[in-house]
């Protein structure tokens, strides 16, 4: 890993963008793939292009219920109905000029017809239909063979993270399984003598470990295989053992706590023995201290993210550093964050010279304008601010105070798919 570009006298001080770039340079994609049936493919990363083995739709077919005819016959105002075409039951006869076929949505357009006139624009009396002259354009209401997916063309590209639409798309091609990257294994543990696991009594001055649960949730949402390694005390031997086990079992390791000034020396020494890990002071809030690098144990290596201990800082540093790196390791094609612009409903204090991530609630006013306010108390230990929020307000490095009515970038927590 290259030495970070110094932003001040301290070589470990980095902007968010610099830290992101260093991380991107370091991680590489896992290479093992597996073939899975369609229903197990949701959120998995496609390992190779899927080439369409057929045209979808396979035949020109009708987009409406109505009458299939030859467009030149629209001058005739009246046509003889010679048969019916249903979805899955084509009309097999030939259609002569002056004739038409009653047709339903999805039915194959019969040979000799090029246009469908919707039923509501016609009148049928016995075996004859009548309509206004030139009621529709040539080729109207006809879906062309291959217009959705063309035979021989890539229907889905390698690196695609598969969505519900993609599962349906694969099924529409008659494809029952696909090759995907194996799941990324991510081991995580919490450090701190004050931490207690669920079910343990809380001694005075102790707190429940929440970071392992947010990490479990975030890793699962990303499509990783989370490996929970519990709480590890602030003790070099215990930390070393945990780091080695994690390294041998996982592609990436995420720890929380123990990287801030007070504890860092400890972890620093240990990680220097195990590999190449940098302790960064990132110009951001929350989440200033972050350790990042690679460690080795018994011929296995793993990428390590040493996140700060504060629960909100864990989430913010996960989303703005680990997320992209883990997607790269999974072989997923770039997945930009869903950023939108909103008007700030209030004054937000902000110091230039650091990127700030405030928890916000974005909503739309009656005129459809998006506006955002911050959630209650923004302390980096307050998970309630994260739980109430539906977005993060991202205030970039150089930005100063935000005035009411200023436009800000917000990143939505939930997308549709
Ligand atoms: P540290 O970075 O270890 O100094 O931790 C910073 C703050 O986060 C301290 O108040 C810790 O008690 C708290 N903290 C650290 N780890 C956790 C955790 N797993 N769950 C909840 N709070 C934590
Ligand atoms: Mg600690």
């Amino acid at each position: 890993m290259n030495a970070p570009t110094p932003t001040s006298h301290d070589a470990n001080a980095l902007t968010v963008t610099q830290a992101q770039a260093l991380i991107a340079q370091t991680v590489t994609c896992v290479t093992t793939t597996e073939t899975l049936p369609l229903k197990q493919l949701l959120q998995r990363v496609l390992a190779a292009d899927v080439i369409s083995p057929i045209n979808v739709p396979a035949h020109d077919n009708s987009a409406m219920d109505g009458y299939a005819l030859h467009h030149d016959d629209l001058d005739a105002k009246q046509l003889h109905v010679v048969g019916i075409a249903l979805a899955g039951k084509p009309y097999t006869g030939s259609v002569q000029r002056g004739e038409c076929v009653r047709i339903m949505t999805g039915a194959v357009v019969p040979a000799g017809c090029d246009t469908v006139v919707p039923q509501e624009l016609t009148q049928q009396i016995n075996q004859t239909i009548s309509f206004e002259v030139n009621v529709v354009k040539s080729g109207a209401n006809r879906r062309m063979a291959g217009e959705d997916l063309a035979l021989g063309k890539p229907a889905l590209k390698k690196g695609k993270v598969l969505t519900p639409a993609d599962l349906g798309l694969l099924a529409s091609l008659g494809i029952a399984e696909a090759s995907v990257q194996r799941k990324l294994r991510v081991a995580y543990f919490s450090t701190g003598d004050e931490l207690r696991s669920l079910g343990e009594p809380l001694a005075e001055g102790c707190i429940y470990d929440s970071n392992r649960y947010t990490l479990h949730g975030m890793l699962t949402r990303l499509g990783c295989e989370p490996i929970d390694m519990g709480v590890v005390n602030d003790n070099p031997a215990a930390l070393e053992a945990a780091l080695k086990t994690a390294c041998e079992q996982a592609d990436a390791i995420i720890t929380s706590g123990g990287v801030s000034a007070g504890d860092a020396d400890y972890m620093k020494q240990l990680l220097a023995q195990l590999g190449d890990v940098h302790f960064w002071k990132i110009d951001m809030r929350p989440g200033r201290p972050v350790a990042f690098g690679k460690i080795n144990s018994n011929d296995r290596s793993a990428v390590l993210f040493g996140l700060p201990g504060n629960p909100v800082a864990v989430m913010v540093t996960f989303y703005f550093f680990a997320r992209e790196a883990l997607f790269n390791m999974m072989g997923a094609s770039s997945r930009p964050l869903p950023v939108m612009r909103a008007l700030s409903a209030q004054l937000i204090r902000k110091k230039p010279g650091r990127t700030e991530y405030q928890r916000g609630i974005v909503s739309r006013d009656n005129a459809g304008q998006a506006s955002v306010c911050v959630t209650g108390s923004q302390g980096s230990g307050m998970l309630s601010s994260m739980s109430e929020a539906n977005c993060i307000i991202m205030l970039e490095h150089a930005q100063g105070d935000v005035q009411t009515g200023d436009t800000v970038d917000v990143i939505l927590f939930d997308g549709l798919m």
Side-chain angles (χ1 to χ4, degrees):
M1 196 163 56
N2 295 335
T5 316
T7 51
S8 69
H9 61 281
D10 187 343
N12 293 319
L14 295 180
T15 65
V16 168
T17 316
Q18 286 169 332
Q20 285 169 336
L22 287 171
I23 293 169
Q25 279 171 25
T26 306
V27 299
T28 49
C29 172
V30 299
T31 49
T32 320
T33 62
E34 60 186 327
T35 296
L36 293 175
L38 212 50
K39 282 185 182 166
Q40 291 175 33
L41 291 176
L42 190 62
Q43 262 210 305
R44 299 301 296 266
V45 179
L46 210 53
D49 289 357
V50 173
I51 306 298
S52 184
I54 54 171
N55 274 321
V56 180
H59 306 278
D60 292 4
N61 69 83
S62 179
M64 302 285 265
D65 292 345
Y67 295 89
L69 43 77
H70 195 287
H71 188 259
D72 289 348
D73 277 349
L74 284 184
D75 295 339
K77 291 195 202 169
Q78 253 192 1
L79 295 174
H80 181 61
V81 183
V82 293
I84 182 161
L86 304 169
K89 262 198 194 157
Y91 175 77
T92 48
S94 66
V95 183
Q96 306 301 318
R97 300 296 301 273
E99 296 177 345
C100 68
V101 167
R102 175 131 176 79
I103 193 164
M104 297 300 155
T105 304
V108 174
V109 174
C113 300
D114 60 8
T115 300
V116 173
V117 179
Q119 184 172 301
E120 54 273 24
L121 301 181
T122 63
Q123 260 193 311
Q124 178 166 5
I125 298 164
N126 299 324
Q127 286 311 99
T128 303
I129 57 156
S130 55
F131 46 82
E132 301 285 307
V133 180
N134 284 337
V135 63
V136 293
K137 288 199 181 122
S138 175
N141 303 308
R142 184 174 63 157
R143 303 171 181 149
M144 307 300 277
E147 74 173 18
D148 186 5
L149 299 160
L151 168 72
K153 294 268 164 55
L156 292 174
K157 292 275 178 70
K158 175 181 168 150
K160 179 107 206 285
V161 179
L162 298 172
T163 64
D166 297 327
L167 303 194
L169 186 147
L170 289 169
S172 77
L173 296 173
I175 294 175
E177 57 182 32
S179 167
V180 290
Q181 305 279 12
R182 75 158 165 80
K183 273 198 176 188
L184 202 67
R185 291 190 282 269
V186 184
Y188 58 99
F189 59 83
S190 300
T191 69
D193 290 341
E194 76 282 25
L195 302 179
R196 291 293 175 272
S197 293
L198 298 184
E200 290 176 0
L202 268 192
E204 196 174 343
C206 291
I207 56 170
Y208 284 118
D209 170 13
S210 57
N211 290 341
R212 273 193 293 137
Y213 294 88
T214 32
L215 280 167
H216 168 83
M218 294 189 295
L219 289 166
T220 305
R221 273 273 181 98
L222 234 55
C224 299
E225 181 187 321
I227 305 173
D228 184 347
M229 298 192 54
V231 171
V232 179
N233 282 346
D234 291 317
N235 157 326
L239 283 170
E240 180 175 355
L243 285 165
K244 283 183 164 169
T245 310
C247 181
E248 287 161 31
Q249 288 183 5
D251 306 295
I253 304 166
I254 299 184
T255 66
S256 72
V259 292
S260 53
D263 315 285
D265 289 346
Y266 221 50
M267 279 282 255
K268 256 187 202 160
Q269 265 178 19
L270 190 57
L271 289 168
Q273 285 166 35
L274 294 175
D276 183 18
V277 177
H278 296 260
F279 281 71
W280 291 333
K281 292 181 193 127
I282 302 175
D283 300 326
M284 67 186 292
R285 195 163 123 152
R288 185 167 145 82
V290 169
F292 173 75
K294 274 188 174 170
I295 62 167
N296 309 296
S297 179
N298 278 329
D299 295 332
R300 299 286 307 266
S301 80
V303 168
L304 178 119
F305 290 91
L307 305 185
N310 273 313
V312 178
V314 166
M315 297 192 75
V316 167
T317 50
F318 179 91
Y319 280 122
F320 293 94
F321 299 118
R323 174 186 178 273
E324 170 98 9
L326 296 175
F327 275 135
N328 288 341
M329 292 177 75
M330 286 179 211
S333 44
S334 166
R335 317 199 80 210
L337 291 164
V339 183
M340 63 179 268
R341 310 277 283 160
L343 300 185
S344 181
Q346 66 190 91
L347 169 77
I348 307 175
R349 293 271 174 225
K350 158 77 171 64
K351 269 197 197 157
R354 67 185 187 201
T355 307
E356 287 193 18
Y357 300 93
Q358 304 235 355
R359 281 69 73 202
I361 296 176
V362 67
S363 56
R364 280 155 71 95
D365 63 21
N366 290 339
Q369 172 64 52
S371 98
V372 67
C373 54
V374 296
T375 56
S377 202
Q378 294 278 315
S380 65
M382 298 201 189
L383 267 186
S384 57
S385 71
M386 203 63 161
S387 173
E388 278 167 34
N390 65 8
C391 69
I392 281 188
I393 307 167
M394 191 167 58
L395 303 175
E396 49 94 20
H397 193 82
Q399 159 107 52
D401 286 348
V402 175
Q403 306 300 330
T404 305
D406 282 358
T407 303
V408 289
D409 278 341
V410 303
I411 298 173
L412 297 179
F413 286 168
D414 273 320
L416 181 61
M417 277 204 230

